[in-house]
Amino acid sequence: MQTYKILIKGVVQGVGFRPFVYQTATKYTLFGEVSNNSQGVEITLNADKDILELFLSELKQKAPALSQIDSIKVEEVEDRAFSDFKIVETKESSTKSALLPPDISICEECERELFDENSRRYLYPFITCTNCGVRYSIIEKLPYDRENTSMKFFKMCKKCEEEYHNPLDRRYHAQPIGCWECGPTLELRVQSEELRVSGVEAIDRAVELLREGTILAIKGVGGFHLVCDATNADAVKKLRERKRRPSKPFAVMVQDIRVARELAYVGELEEKLLSSKERPIVVCKSKNSSKIASDLIAPNISKIGLFLPYTPLHLLILKKLNRPIVATSANISDEPICTNIESLKCLKDVYDGILNHNREIVNGCDDSVITVVKDRIITLRRARGYTPLSIKLPFSLDKHTLAMGANQKSTVAIAFENEAILSPHIGDLNSVASIEYYQKSIKTLLRIYDFKPAVIAHDLHPGYESTNIAKEFKHSIIIDPARQETASKFDPYPEFKSKVQFIHLKNHT
Ligand SMILES: [Zn+2]
Ligand SMILES: [Zn+2]
C-alpha cells in the first residue's frame, strides 16, 4: 500500500465536495484525510494502485451537482499511516486559484422543507444547504470558509452546529447555514406608517402592501430590487414616474413556469433557462397578456424579461401574493445595483417601504439576462448565477493578467493559466458611483484571489474611465521599464493590438 496526494482543481469548494470524498473513501475503506486549500481540494490517503483508480473514477463520475472538476493531480508521497478517514481543517497555500461557486437558486429539498410545517426551518426566508444558496455575494476572500464570509457575524445555534459538523448531513459545512434561532433576520419598515415588523409578519405585511399598490425595496442576493404588483397598472405607472424611467422595460418575476407560459412564448430552451439553478432573467416573446400591465411593463416592444423566484424569500412572497411582480434592480439608471441601506438612500423618493435583512452583501451582483435566438443562448448580462465561474481560455497565460474592460456595460476580469474570471456586469462608467463600484469590483477580485497582476490590459481610448484607472493602477505598482519593452511579446490576441494596451508590472508573476 502506498500514500498518495491528490489535488483536485475546479469548482470544488462550497459545493459539498469534501463530504462526498469522505463518503467515497469510506465506501472503499480507504484511510487518510481531505481538506480545502486555496487551490482546490487536497486528499492524502493510503491505497493500492487498483483501488485508487476505482476511487478516482468514482470521484469523477459521481461528483456533487454544483461541482466542476477541472483537473486531478495524483502523486505518490512519502509513506504516512492513517487509521481512519477524516475531513480536516483548511490548509492555506500561497497561490489562490480555487474557483468559487456563484450564487444559485434554492434547491428542491430546501424548498420542500421551507413549506413543511414540521421542519424547524418552516417559512425561514434564508433556508439553504450545501447544494444551494448564496456564495459569491457573501465572500470576502478565499478559502470559502464561514469566517471569510458575512455569515461570520451569526453564531450558530447548537442544532445548526451539529448539522454543520456532520459529514453525512446535507448542511455539512454549508457556510450560510442558519435558522430562526441563529441566522439572518428580516425586517420591514414603512416610513409613513412608522411600521417596523420582523419575521413571518414582515413577509405577510409586505405582501399586503404590494397588494395595495405599494412600491417596496426588497433586499435579495446581490442587491435590492424595486418591487410592485405587476398586475396593478397604477403601481407600475407610479414606479416608472418615480424612477424617471419612461419606457425601458422592467423584468417580471413570476410564481412558476405555468404563469411564465401565460405571459410569454416559452420554448424548451427558455424553460430550461428559467428553471435552471442560475435562474437568470430570460427575455421571451411576449403574449401581451392582459393579466399584467404589459403596456407599462414593456412599452412598445414585443419581448418581456421573466424570471422565477430564486431565494426562499422570493418564494415566500410570490406564493403568498400569487401574482407576478415587477422586480427591477434598485439603482439610478445604468449605475450599479444598491447593496445596502446607505446606497439605497438615493432612491428614497421611489419606494414606500423596505424589506431588509441583516446578512451583508459583500459583493454586489445584478440579475443575469439571457435570451434565445434561433436555438442559441445569448447572454446579455452575465452576473448572478454565473459570476465568478471562470471562462476557459483556449491558451495558457504565463503572466497574471488584469483586464480592465470597456467604458459602457463594463466588466473587469482577472486571468491566470487558462482561466478568466469575470466580475459581474458593472454598468456604464459615466458617474462617480459607477466608477467607485468599478474600482471596488477590481479590488474585490484581487482580494478574493489574492491576485497580483503582472500585466494590465486596457482600451487605448484616452477618454475612457477604464483607461484612466488602468494608468492610475500602473502608478500604484512599480513599473519595470525593461519589461514594458517586452509588451509586444505578450499578446494572446494580436488582432486587437491596435485597440488594447498591455502594461507590464514589476515584481509580480
Ligand atoms: Zn438546499
Ligand atoms: Zn440555528
Side-chain angles (χ1 to χ4, degrees), residues 120-121 156-161 178-183:
R120 68 187 191 90
R121 292 189 179 86
M156 276 182 266
C157 70
K158 235 179 144 195
K159 281 184 182 157
C160 284
E161 196 146 19
C179 69
W180 281 114
E181 205 178 306
C182 69

Side-chain angles (χ1 to χ4, degrees), residues 1-2 4 46-56 74 76:
M1 197 171 303
Q2 292 87 33
Y4 294 97
N46 306 136
D48 290 324
K49 193 140 182 57
D50 48 341
I51 302 286
L52 179 78
E53 293 300 328
L54 287 174
F55 171 74
L56 291 175
V74 184
E76 206 180 318

Side-chain angles (χ1 to χ4, degrees), residues 97-306:
S97 57
L99 299 178
L100 179 70
D103 301 304
I104 47 149
S105 68
I106 179 172
C107 72
E108 279 173 21
E109 276 172 299
C110 285
E111 187 173 339
R112 222 173 296 131
E113 269 186 50
L114 179 66
F115 296 106
D116 175 3
E117 283 176 44
N118 299 317
S119 153
R120 68 187 191 90
R121 292 189 179 86
Y122 178 53
L123 305 183
Y124 180 59
F126 305 97
I127 188 171
T128 185
C129 73
T130 321
N131 300 320
C132 73
V134 289
R135 301 284 187 276
Y136 170 75
S137 60
I138 59 163
I139 192 173
E140 286 162 358
K141 60 178 186 190
L142 280 173
Y144 177 64
D145 281 331
R146 189 155 165 125
E147 68 262 25
N148 292 334
T149 72
S150 55
M151 285 303 295
K152 66 184 172 194
F153 303 109
F154 301 93
K155 194 180 170 338
M156 276 182 266
C157 70
K158 235 179 144 195
K159 281 184 182 157
C160 284
E161 196 146 19
E162 272 169 30
E163 293 169 347
Y164 184 86
H165 290 295
N166 176 6
L168 301 174
D169 194 283
R170 201 170 101 239
R171 297 195 167 89
Y172 175 80
H173 277 241
Q175 308 306 347
I177 190 177
C179 69
W180 281 114
E181 205 178 306
C182 69
T185 50
L186 268 185
E187 188 185 64
L188 175 74
R189 274 199 233 181
V190 182
Q191 213 65 13
S192 60
E193 298 175 31
E194 286 184 8
L195 177 76
R196 228 174 147 154
V197 284
S198 57
V200 175
E201 206 189 336
I203 294 173
D204 292 348
R205 191 74 190 99
V207 168
E208 277 170 31
L209 287 168
L210 288 172
R211 238 182 229 138
E212 291 162 14
T214 305
I215 296 168
L216 293 180
I218 300 180
K219 189 172 173 183
V221 167
F224 279 86
H225 281 130
L226 292 168
V227 172
C228 72
D229 176 358
T231 67
N232 183 335
D234 289 340
V236 183
K237 197 162 162 248
K238 189 164 68 180
L239 177 58
R240 283 223 174 271
E241 283 166 5
R242 288 189 190 171
K243 217 186 167 211
R244 298 200 186 96
R245 182 162 152 169
S247 59
K248 209 171 151 190
F250 286 140
V252 174
M253 189 184 275
V254 293
Q255 302 92 304
D256 50 40
I257 199 80
R258 183 186 51 85
V259 181
R261 279 201 216 97
E262 284 172 13
L263 303 182
Y265 296 92
V266 177
E268 209 177 303
L269 199 47
E270 279 103 343
E271 179 168 341
K272 219 168 150 185
L273 288 164
L274 280 167
S275 0
S276 66
K277 62 183 190 299
E278 292 85 8
R279 300 268 161 106
I281 294 172
V282 183
V283 179
C284 305
K285 192 172 179 316
S286 172
K287 281 187 179 167
N288 264 321
S289 164
S290 57
K291 288 190 173 134
I292 54 166
S294 300
D295 294 350
L296 286 154
I297 287 167
N300 308 321
I301 54 165
S302 56
K303 308 232 162 185
I304 186 162
L306 298 176

